[in-house]
Amino acid sequence: MNSFKNRLLILIVSLMALAQGVTMALALASIRAQVRSDSVRQLVDTRAMLETTLTERSRRLHSAADVLVRDYGFKEAVASADQVTIQSALGNHAQRVGADLAVLYSLAGEVISANTPQLAVQARHSLRLVDSEEQTAAFAPFALIGGHPYQIVLAPLRAPQVVGWVALGFALDRALAQQLATLAGTDVSIVFREPGADSGIISTLTPTPAHALAGTTTFGSASAAPFLVTLGGTQYLALSAPLRTQGGSLQLIAQQSQDAAMTPFRQMRMALLLIGGAALVAAIAVALLVSRSAARPLNMLVKAAQQIERGYYCESIQVAGGSEFQHLAGTLSGMATSIREREARIVHQANHDALTGLPNREGLRERLAALPPGEPFSAVMLDVQRFRDINASVGHLVGDQLLGKLAVRLGQLGGGALLCARVGADQFVALCALHDSELLHRVLQLSDELRAGIVVDALRLCVDVRAGISEWRAPRVSVGDFLRQVDVALLQAKEQDTVAVVYQASHDADHRRRVLLVAELRQALNGEGLSLNYQPLVNMPDRAVVGFEALLRWSHPTLGSISPAEFIPLAERASVLPALSRWVLSAAIEQLGQWQRLGLEIELSVNLSAADFADGELAARVLELLRLHQVPAAQLLLEVTESAIMREPQLAAQVMQQLRMAGVRFAIDDFGTGHSSLAQLHALPVDELKIDRGFVGNLDQSAGNLAIVRTTIELGHSLGLKVVAEGIETPEVWASLLRLGCDLAQGYFISRPMAAGAVPEWLRGQRAQLTQAFSVAEQAGVVASLRGRSA
C-alpha cells in the first residue's frame, strides 16, 4: 500500500463507478432507440390499418350506391324526372347508409339532384365525372367539395342504358379522425389543400401542433420511412400517405408523440439515474480518501516546480511518500540543474557573438549600462570595407579567421580596450579609457597597420576600415544615444571616404536631414517634386543634335532643389533606387513618345543602376513602356556604369541582350573609372562609350588626361563603338575633342539641362545656326550662343 501503484489501483477501482454511469447512459440510449424502433413499427402498421379502413369505407359506399341505382322506384322517378321523389330517395338513402353527400348527375355532368342544395352547387364545380362506364376505375376516390374533404364513389344509373351517375360520399371530419386514432393508437391528421388556398387540417392533435403540421406538410408521394417533426415544442414521429383526390391534394398522416412513447420507460430511467448517481457519489468518496494520502507529496512537488518556473533552482528536492514520488523528485532536481545550465548558455549566446566570443550589440548595451559613472570613456565603431569581397575571394573560413584576428587587435587598442564587441557582420565596437582625440590617433595607426596587411592562413590580407568615434562625457547621454552617436560618426566617415570621424553635434543635423530626405523621397515617388531635365548630345562632325540625356531633378517643398549627388546615394542605401529608376524610365519614355508625336526624331539616354539589373522584370518593363507610348526601341539608349555591370556581369549581359534584340541601344557611362576588362567589354552589346567628365574637364591643360581620352577614342573606334565626351565646358576642350575625332559631345558648353517644354525651341535654334558653322571657331561661337539661350 506504500507504493503509488497500489494507490493508483484504488483510484482505478473508483473509476469503475464512472464506468457504471457510462453503462447506464448507454442503457438509456438503447431504451430510447428501442422506443423509436417500436414507434416506427407502430406507425407503419397504423398506415396500413388506416388505408385498410378507408378501403372498407369505400367498399360500403360502393355497396350503398349499387343498391340505390338498382332500386326500380328510383329509376322510374329518374325516368319521369320526378324531382321530389328523386330528392327524397337520395336523402333517405344517404341517411340510411350514413353518407354525407348524395348527388345525381346527368350524362352531360349536370347536377340533377343532391341531398342538399348547397352541396349540389359545390359538387357541380368540384367533381370531374367519367365519360364511360369503363373509366370508373380512374375516378379519384376522394374530393374537396366546398373546402372540405370527402370520400366519394361513383355508380352508373342504367335504364337499361346509362342515363346518369350517382355519387355517394362520406365527409372526412374530426369524428372520423378520432375513430381512426382510436383504432390505431396514434394521433391521426388529414391535411388538405385546394388550389390557390392555404392548407387545412382535420386532426386529433391540439390546435397549435395541428396548425404547425399543416404548415409543414409537403404534398406528394408517400414518405419511405417515418420522419421526425417538431410541432408546438413537442417532437413527433410521423408517417404520411397521399390520397388520390379531385379538386386539390389530400394527405393522411399518422403521428406519435415521442414524449408519450417514453412514458412507460420513465420510471426505469429514473431508477437507472439513481443507481448511477449513487455509484458516482461512491467513486467521489473513494477518490477523496485516496487524494488525502497522495496530495501531500504532490503539493511539495508542485511548489518545487513553481520555484523552478520562477527561476529559483534548488540543488535537491526531498519529498516523503512512495518510491514513484522519490523518483519524480530526483527527476525534478536533475531538470532544475539542466535548465539552470541551459539558461546560462542561452543568456551567454544571446549576449555574445558565436564566432569571436565577444559581446554582441545587446551584450554591449548591458556592459555600457554597468560602467561606473563619472569616468570619461570613448568608443570607436570600426567597419571593415568590402568584407563581402574578401569572403568571396578567399572563402568564408579565412574571412572568419580574419574577424578573429581583428577582434584580438581591437582588444589591444589603446593599451588594452575596456570592452570590445562585435555588433555586425563586419562591424566592431571598442571602448577605451581615452579622450576622443587620443583614440582617433590610435585608430589611424591601426588603420595604417591593417592596410599594410594581416597574415591569415599564409595569406596577407590588406584591410581597409572606416571608423566613427564618440566620447561619453558627463553628463552622459543614454546608452542608446551614445551608440547612435558612434554610428552617425561612422556614417560620416563612409560618406567623406576618410578613415575616421569624431562625432560632432552637427552630425545629428546631417543625419536627420538624410533620414528626412529618404522618407520624403518615397513620398515624392507617389506625388510631386520629381522631374526630368534634358541635356543635349551633339554629333561633333556635323554639329547636329542627335539626342538628349534624361537627368533626374528633385524640388523639395521646403528644402528647395536637392542635388542628385546627395539624394541618389541615399536612395541606393535605403533601397529606394529601384523604385526611382522605374519612375525615371516611365517618365522618360512617356516624354519621348510625346516628342515623337510632335515630329521630333531624337534619341533619349536614360541611366540604369546596378540594382536595376537585379530586377527580373526590367526587360519586360522597358519593352512594355515602349509599346505603350509607341516609341521605336532604337530611339532609347540606356546608360550603364562599368561598376554596375561588373557587380553581376552575367546577369547584366543577359538583360542587355534581351533588350538589344528588341532594338534598344546601350552606352557604358563614366568609362575609365571602373575595372571592366576588354574581353568583357567586347562581349557586351554596347553601342557607345562615355568618357568620364573627370578626364574631359581639363583636357586642354593635362597631358595625362589628353592621352587617356585619345586612347579611349581609339579603343572605342577599334571596337566599332561611338565615343561620347561629357562635361565639355570650354571652347578649347570642344576644339581638342574635334581634333581627336570624338563622335558626340555633351556638357554645359553646349547647353545646361533644360525642361521638356524648352527642347523644341532649342532644337529649332540649333538646327538653324550650328549646322551652318564650318570652322571650329564658328562652331564654338554658335554653341556659346545656344548655351546662353538655354541657361
Side-chain angles (χ1 to χ4, degrees), residues 74 82-94 96 113-114:
F74 181 69
D82 186 353
Q83 286 290 338
V84 175
T85 303
I86 294 172
Q87 183 74 27
S88 175
L90 285 175
N92 291 337
H93 195 71
R96 184 166 56 251
S113 181

Side-chain angles (χ1 to χ4, degrees), residues 358-359 363-372 375-382 407 409-423 428-436 439 442-443 468-473 476 479 482-483 486:
L358 298 176
L364 175 63
R365 289 177 179 273
E366 292 184 1
R367 300 286 185 87
L368 289 176
L371 288 175
E375 298 183 18
F377 299 101
S378 292
V380 55
M381 181 176 288
L382 201 73
R409 187 63 188 85
L410 281 175
Q412 302 168 352
L413 190 66
L418 296 176
L419 176 63
C420 187
R422 185 187 180 196
V423 295
F428 294 86
V429 171
L431 188 70
C432 302
L434 300 171
H435 292 291
D436 51 14
L439 185 56
R442 301 289 178 87
V443 169
I469 300 172
S470 181
E471 186 172 344
W472 208 10
R473 302 185 180 94
R476 288 181 178 176
V479 172
F482 178 57
L483 292 178
V486 181

Side-chain angles (χ1 to χ4, degrees), residues 323-342:
S323 59
E324 291 84 356
F325 289 115
Q326 299 291 338
H327 181 68
L328 181 57
T331 302
L332 280 177
S333 298
M335 182 182 69
T337 303
S338 299
I339 291 176
R340 179 173 62 248
E341 295 173 353
R342 187 160 53 249

Side-chain angles (χ1 to χ4, degrees), residues 478-494:
S478 66
V479 172
D481 284 341
F482 178 57
L483 292 178
R484 181 188 57 79
Q485 291 174 358
V486 181
D487 203 0
V488 168
L490 174 61
L491 187 60
Q492 289 286 336
K494 289 181 178 181

Side-chain angles (χ1 to χ4, degrees), residues 497-517:
D497 197 21
T498 185
V499 173
V501 169
V502 177
Y503 170 79
Q504 303 293 332
S506 60
H507 293 164
D508 280 339
D510 296 338
H511 180 68
R512 285 193 295 271
R513 175 183 172 88
R514 288 193 294 269
V515 173
L516 174 66
L517 288 180

